[in-house]
Amino acid sequence: MQRPEDSLTTPLTSTSQFIQADDDDDLDEEAIPGFAHPTIGSDTPQSAVFDKGKGRATEQLATPTSAAGPARTPTLSGNIGSMPSGVPSSARRTIGGVQVENRFTGVDTLDEPITTTIGRDLLSIYTKLVQVLYPPKGGASREVLRDWDLWGPFVLCLLLGILLSLKAPASQSLGIFTSVVAIISLGSLVVTIQAKLLGGRVSFFQGLCVFGYCVAPLNVAAFVSTFVHLIYVRVPIALAAWAWCVWGKILRTFPAVNFLDGTRIEQQRILLAVYPLLLFYFILAWMIIIQ
Amino acid sequence: MAYVSIEADERLEEGPEGLQFQSFLDSDNRSSEPGVGNVGSRGYIPDRPGKTSFWQVEHYQPYFDIDTLTVLRRCYSTLIPSKSSYLATHLTPADLYGPFWTLTTLIFSLFVFSSLASSISVYLSDPDAASPTDPLEYNFGLLSIAVGLVYSYGLAVPILLWLGLRYLGVGEWSVVETVALWGYGQFVWIPVSLLCVIPFSAARWTFVGIGFALSGFFLVFNIYPVLATADQKAVRLIAILLVLLHAAIALCFKVLFFSYYPTKGDKSG
């Protein structure tokens, strides 16, 4: 009979690639940065440790705690109960004189419930929204927006279109909705492309993501002015939201202004790169004012 | 193990003419592409690849290699009628940033100031009825009209003109220069659209007239020398065509975007 660990480990074929493991054996695997969301990582460190792939699961069979037999092994449930995390070196083997190891590179998302998947995405959108709406909080962890998605911008864009077309006359509401969606999508495309044309080193989708998320303050302004019709209230709110948007976007896209040489856009060209942002956010703010 | 004897390369021992030190400092500056002038020497894009394909973003980077002060100077110098050719004095090399954002700004400023003018005129016609809680009146279709009008006039007309002149074999300019000239030439409409908020018919007509005169003079003065290089005299008639087209676009701006006037007692006006 074949041993269970042989049937479960990935077979080593001639096409397997080996990466030489680090020599430092005191490496703490908890400290290896994964690509998981930070809040999820802190919420569920247990599952992150235990879902280390099939390789880790079989290694546990050799430990004395679960030596009672294969009937007690909880591998079938997909949730290995109480494995101590103090066996980091068990993931390492020596194959052909080269020490290799199975390294944890992310949360195993294959066999999790779909609610967890959706919940993680929603949480990620929420975290980015908070970062955008309150930039000082995001000052330290600006990296969160680096993990881009386009769902948040899409939702924000539709929301702004709906908010603006709600109060419009019936003959114009469809046109307003179309225009808002078109302005945001084409505008983010144009702004990102021209940031690249000016020689900025921004990732394309990251630029789209940041542009879309920075519309969020305008959503707040549109929401407020759906209920408040006083022009004296509306204009300051929309202008404040405009400044808020631009500030948040600049803070994230052009840290070169103050901090580090992020996008590599020179000082003489910062205004050229920022001007389209001012233009697009201003036209959206203006549509909120005259809503 | 067998060794195969190969003949040694003896040129190394021949003396200094085989291997020489060479300065590559000057050749870097001279390696800029001929079509876009001295772009390479400005050095905003340090490691631009030499040859890029038409579909890559890097292919267009030379046309956006410009700084803020240059764009501003190119914009306001279209307002000042001068005897020197704009192509020779300012568009060296031509860029595409200015034309594109000039046209886009023009679209947005037409829409913004037109809706502002309309709400002001509504307020002036009936200050009592138009309380601050009323939503401002505006016509949203104007935005799409402005997009179509401005982009078709600002981008399609110069490209068609360039193609036509190319077909006739006239003109030593590139399509980028044509588009840049045309785009910067429309800059005057941005302050004009701001001034047209003033709700008096005479003032608006005056401002539109001034805008038409300035940009028309600018375009004709810079395009006529190109047309005059043609062998056929009939090609110069294109200038008249362009002036007529320009007058039509000026009239369109005035009638479509700034025809709101305060009317006493008649809210439909």
Side-chain angles (χ1 to χ4, degrees):
Chain A
M1 179 185 156
Q2 205 181 17
R3 287 184 302 156
E5 48 211 5
D6 287 339
S7 63
L8 285 176
T9 41
T10 312
L12 292 167
T13 62
S14 61
T15 56
S16 297
Q17 292 187 343
F18 297 126
I19 303 171
Q20 188 164 13
D22 296 333
D23 286 335
D24 44 349
D25 281 334
D26 54 345
L27 188 70
D28 184 15
E29 288 206 343
E30 298 287 325
I32 297 175
F35 295 102
H37 196 272
T39 47
I40 287 183
S42 58
D43 277 348
T44 58
Q46 295 295 100
S47 64
V49 172
F50 298 138
D51 285 345
K52 288 195 175 180
K54 303 286 194 271
R56 281 303 286 273
T58 56
E59 295 291 345
Q60 200 218 355
L61 291 178
T63 61
T65 53
S66 63
R72 275 187 55 198
T73 53
T75 32
L76 287 178
S77 71
N79 181 17
I80 304 168
S82 62
M83 196 186 74
S85 61
V87 283
S89 60
S90 64
R92 298 190 173 184
R93 281 168 294 172
T94 304
I95 295 169
V98 179
Q99 192 182 25
V100 298
E101 70 174 349
N102 298 330
R103 186 168 282 189
F104 174 59
T105 55
V107 181
D108 183 14
T109 57
L110 269 183
D111 47 1
E112 68 183 8
I114 196 165
T115 48
T116 316
T117 313
I118 294 177
R120 186 177 52 241
D121 289 347
L122 287 180
L123 187 66
S124 141
I125 291 177
Y126 168 75
T127 317
K128 287 172 200 159
L129 265 185
V130 169
Q131 299 260 322
V132 167
L133 286 179
Y134 188 53
K137 200 182 169 194
S141 57
R142 201 180 292 119
E143 308 297 315
V144 171
L145 280 173
R146 195 150 290 181
D147 182 20
W148 57 270
D149 70 297
L150 293 181
W151 279 112
F154 179 63
V155 169
L156 286 175
C157 163
L158 290 187
L159 199 64
L160 186 61
I162 290 169
L163 279 175
L164 284 181
S165 57
L166 269 184
K167 285 285 180 173
S171 59
Q172 297 197 3
S173 63
L174 186 63
I176 288 176
F177 181 78
T178 319
S179 305
V180 169
V181 172
I183 286 176
I184 293 181
S185 46
L186 290 181
S188 57
L189 271 180
V190 165
V191 165
T192 315
I193 288 176
Q194 77 107 30
K196 276 191 102 66
L197 283 173
L198 286 176
R201 304 295 170 84
V202 283
S203 143
F204 181 72
F205 287 106
Q206 200 180 316
L208 286 187
C209 169
V210 175
F211 187 93
Y213 271 108
C214 287
V215 176
L218 286 174
N219 268 332
V220 176
F223 186 74
V224 170
S225 49
T226 310
F227 298 105
V228 183
H229 289 179
L230 281 171
I231 193 88
Y232 312 117
V233 178
R234 235 187 229 180
V235 173
I237 283 183
L239 290 182
W242 173 59
W244 197 356
C245 285
V246 175
W247 180 46
K249 168 82 179 161
I250 291 174
L251 204 64
R252 269 176 198 80
T253 319
F254 307 108
V257 181
N258 298 324
F259 310 105
L260 43 119
D261 196 4
T263 53
R264 302 263 188 96
I265 291 185
E266 275 77 3
Q267 289 287 337
Q268 302 95 306
R269 285 145 63 95
I270 290 289
L271 191 62
L272 288 186
V274 167
Y275 172 70
L277 294 178
L278 302 177
L279 199 65
F280 275 110
Y281 286 133
F282 181 75
I283 197 76
L284 291 173
W286 179 257
M287 286 167 73
I288 293 173
I289 292 176
I290 62 175
Q291 183 184 17
Chain B
M1 198 169 288
Y3 290 97
V4 180
S5 68
I6 47 171
E7 213 168 310
D9 195 356
E10 288 175 353
R11 274 177 297 170
L12 281 178
E13 279 113 57
E14 277 176 359
E17 63 266 20
L19 193 64
Q20 274 183 337
F21 284 108
Q22 195 178 348
S23 169
F24 291 97
L25 288 175
D26 288 339
S27 60
D28 283 347
N29 289 338
R30 273 188 266 112
S31 66
S32 59
E33 296 160 36
V36 289
N38 58 352
V39 176
S41 62
R42 208 175 269 151
Y44 283 126
I45 301 160
D47 51 353
R48 186 161 52 86
K51 200 71 183 171
T52 52
S53 84
F54 185 76
W55 298 107
Q56 280 177 308
V57 172
E58 286 81 15
H59 181 76
Y60 300 96
Q61 272 184 354
Y63 303 121
F64 289 80
D65 202 5
I66 194 168
D67 58 21
T68 312
L69 288 178
T70 319
V71 171
L72 289 179
R73 195 172 59 238
R74 286 179 186 185
C75 281
Y76 71 71
S77 54
T78 62
L79 302 183
I80 305 158
S82 75
K83 287 289 172 191
S84 58
S85 165
Y86 188 77
L87 272 173
T89 43
H90 292 288
L91 293 182
T92 49
D95 68 310
L96 286 179
Y97 180 96
F100 182 74
W101 288 111
T102 303
L103 294 178
T104 312
T105 312
L106 175 58
I107 289 168
F108 285 156
S109 65
L110 277 176
F111 172 67
V112 165
F113 295 127
S114 161
S115 48
L116 193 62
S118 98
S119 55
I120 285 177
S121 69
V122 165
Y123 179 75
L124 286 180
S125 346
D126 205 352
D128 303 325
S131 64
T133 55
D134 270 354
L136 303 179
E137 278 189 26
Y138 66 105
N139 181 6
F140 207 80
L142 283 181
L143 187 56
S144 45
I145 292 175
V147 169
L149 206 63
V150 171
Y151 276 152
S152 61
Y153 183 68
L155 294 176
V157 168
I159 291 176
L160 285 179
L161 175 72
W162 180 79
L163 282 177
L165 290 184
R166 186 75 186 248
Y167 178 74
L168 293 172
V170 182
E172 294 292 320
W173 55 359
S174 70
V175 65
V176 175
E177 282 173 333
T178 322
V179 171
L181 183 69
W182 217 270
Y184 277 120
Q186 312 306 317
F187 176 75
V188 65
W189 295 114
I190 296 172
V192 163
S193 68
L194 168 64
L195 290 170
C196 277
V197 171
I198 300 169
F200 298 108
S201 178
R204 282 180 182 174
W205 279 110
T206 314
F207 289 130
V208 170
I210 291 174
F212 166 72
L214 277 179
S215 56
F217 174 78
F218 173 79
L219 287 179
V220 168
F221 189 80
N222 283 291
I223 287 172
Y224 189 74
V226 179
L227 297 176
T229 59
D231 294 333
Q232 310 96 320
K233 299 282 182 196
V235 174
R236 301 181 187 186
L237 293 177
I238 293 179
I240 297 172
L241 193 70
L242 292 178
V243 168
L244 286 180
L245 207 58
H246 199 66
I249 207 83
L251 211 59
C252 276
F253 285 160
K254 169 70 187 70
V255 171
L256 284 174
F257 296 100
F258 295 104
S259 51
Y260 303 96
Y261 292 111
T263 46
K264 294 287 176 197
D266 181 17
K267 283 197 78 176
S268 65

